[in-house]
Amino acid sequence: MSDATKEKRPQQIFTLLVEVGRKAGDGLPDGATGAALICYASGVDEAEAVRETVAILKQAELAPLDVTGYGTRDERLAQGHYIDAEETALMERARAENAVIVAQMTPFFGEDGSAR
C-alpha cells in the first residue's frame, strides 16, 4: 500500500508518567535522586507517544528510566479520572503543537527515591 492510499490515523493525546534518574546537566535540584514527570504527548498510538517523549527527554539531558501510560483523555474519563480545565488546556496544546508537554516535575530526594 503506498503512502497516498494509506489512511492517516489521527493524533491522540496520551497522559504519561515518566520517572527519570540523574544525569550530568539534567537541571534537577541538588540532592535529588531523580524525578517524576507528568507529560501529555501526541501520537497515533501510545507506543509512538512514549517513543517521542523518551526522545525529547533525552534531548533535554534527562535520563528516562520508566514510563507508565494512563491512556487518552477519553480512556481516563472512562476510568473515573477527574480532568480539570487546566489539564484539558495542556492536552489541547500538545495536540495543536504535535508536541510533548511536561506538565509537572516532582524531584525525588533520599535513598529510597521518595519525594519530600
Side-chain angles (χ1 to χ4, degrees):
M1 185 179 275
S2 73
D3 289 343
T5 59
K6 279 187 185 177
E7 183 178 327
K8 184 167 171 111
R9 293 172 36 192
Q11 294 286 314
Q12 299 183 75
I13 303 304
F14 295 88
T15 302
L16 305 173
L17 171 65
V18 183
E19 293 181 47
V20 297
R22 291 307 311 249
K23 182 178 175 184
D26 61 15
L28 295 177
D30 289 342
T33 58
L37 287 71
I38 298 291
C39 301
Y40 303 114
S42 63
V44 295
D45 57 28
E46 193 168 76
E48 180 184 59
V50 168
R51 283 191 304 274
E52 290 296 318
T53 300
V54 168
I56 294 292
L57 295 176
K58 285 181 177 181
Q59 286 179 354
E61 300 297 323
L62 292 170
L65 301 174
D66 189 50
V67 180
T68 303
Y70 288 91
T72 64
R73 181 179 191 279
D74 289 344
E75 289 168 343
R76 289 183 55 208
L77 289 171
Q79 294 169 21
H81 293 201
Y82 171 74
I83 301 174
D84 64 21
E86 182 180 353
E87 192 174 1
T88 298
L90 290 169
M91 290 176 180
E92 288 308 315
R93 180 177 163 203
R95 180 188 318 281
E97 297 177 9
N98 191 24
V100 174
I101 304 291
V102 177
Q104 180 178 340
M105 179 186 289
T106 304
F108 296 141
F109 296 93
E111 291 178 20
D112 65 352
S114 63
R116 283 195 213 171

